[in-house]
């Protein structure tokens, strides 16, 4: 098989992961929950031109659904795109958690398998995001509006990074990440 044929077969699915628009939590340092967009977030989303894709999906959260609506997309809710379940920390300011549960927060930030908040460990989120990503074999292109934590986890899986790299990835509201490939062979397109 020629190198060109091998590369063209590796392209597989084009996945565009679009982070939801601004919420109160993303505008501050708060563990996110299910919340509406800010007025500024809704306005910025409405100004965007959504990328084209064969399959349009959004996480079931209010912020992802409202982002899809602001973009004028008839996207379908996909539970696998849910962000990390931060358990009892959901909706709390990070500074508050730091001052009241310093050891627990430190453990969570240094051990991706820890879930002191009673929710989902980062390793569980990475596994879930990877299973969703690797299950995309029957479509050519997907636009998925997701939460920051899901996109970070999908990137860790796609580039086969260590789970501890999860905290080194920042995703801003309305930022997009493009991946192409298929099971076991994903390519990250910067500026895609």
């Amino acid at each position: 098989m020629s190198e060109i044929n091998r590369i063209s077969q590796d392209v597989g699915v084009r996945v565009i992961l679009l982070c939801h628009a601004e919420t109160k939590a993303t505008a501050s340092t708060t563990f996110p929950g299910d919340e509406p967009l800010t007025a500024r977030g809704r306005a910025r989303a409405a100004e965007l031109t959504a990328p084209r894709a064969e399959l349009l999906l959004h996480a079931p959260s209010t912020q992802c659904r409202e982002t899809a609506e602001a973009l004028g997309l008839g996207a379908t809710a996909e539970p696998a795109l849910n962000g990390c379940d931060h358990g009892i920390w959901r909706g709390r300011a990070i500074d508050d958690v730091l001052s009241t549960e310093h050891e627990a927060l430190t453990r969570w930030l240094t051990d991706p398998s820890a879930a002191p908040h009673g929710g989902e460990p980062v390793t569980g989120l990475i596994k879930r995001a990877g299973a969703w990503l690797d299950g995309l074999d029957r479509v050519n292109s997907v636009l998925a509006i997701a939460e920051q934590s899901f996109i970070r986890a999908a990137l860790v899986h796609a580039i086969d990074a260590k789970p501890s790299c999860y905290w080194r990835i920042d995703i801003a509201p309305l930022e997009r990440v493009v991946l192409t490939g298929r099971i076991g062979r994903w390519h990250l397109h910067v500026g895609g």
Side-chain angles (χ1 to χ4, degrees), residues 21-188:
E22 182 186 81
T23 64
K24 184 178 175 185
T26 60
S28 63
T29 52
T30 302
F31 283 98
D34 188 9
E35 60 184 334
L37 301 179
T38 62
R40 182 170 75 172
R42 186 173 283 102
R44 287 191 175 161
E47 293 171 358
L48 277 182
T49 300
R52 290 179 173 226
E54 177 184 346
L55 181 61
L56 306 173
L57 301 171
H58 68 79
S61 65
T62 301
Q63 57 265 36
C64 292
R65 179 182 46 77
E66 288 186 359
T67 300
E69 290 169 356
L71 288 166
L73 300 175
T76 303
E78 171 53 62
L81 296 172
N82 275 328
C84 188
D85 175 3
H86 292 109
I88 61 172
W89 295 348
R90 188 179 309 116
R92 291 179 60 191
I94 292 175
D95 286 344
D96 174 49
V97 174
L98 183 61
S99 68
T100 60
E101 300 180 56
H102 185 270
E103 282 185 37
L105 182 61
T106 300
R107 188 168 68 250
W108 183 69
L109 291 171
T110 57
D111 179 2
S113 65
H117 45 57
E120 182 177 33
V122 168
T123 52
L125 176 61
I126 293 168
K127 184 176 181 179
R128 179 165 51 85
W132 175 80
L133 197 58
D134 288 345
L136 297 173
D137 63 349
R138 299 184 196 272
V139 294
N140 293 318
S141 59
V142 178
L143 169 60
I145 300 167
E147 296 176 39
Q148 295 165 323
S149 60
F150 180 88
I151 297 171
R152 291 161 72 181
L155 285 173
V156 168
H157 172 78
I159 65 171
D160 198 24
K162 293 186 277 185
S164 59
C165 293
Y166 172 86
W167 288 282
R168 295 181 181 180
I169 301 169
D170 290 323
I171 305 291
L174 297 176
E175 196 163 58
R176 82 172 82 173
V177 172
V178 178
L179 300 170
T180 57
R182 56 194 164 98
I183 298 172
R185 189 173 177 94
W186 291 100
H187 302 274
L188 171 63

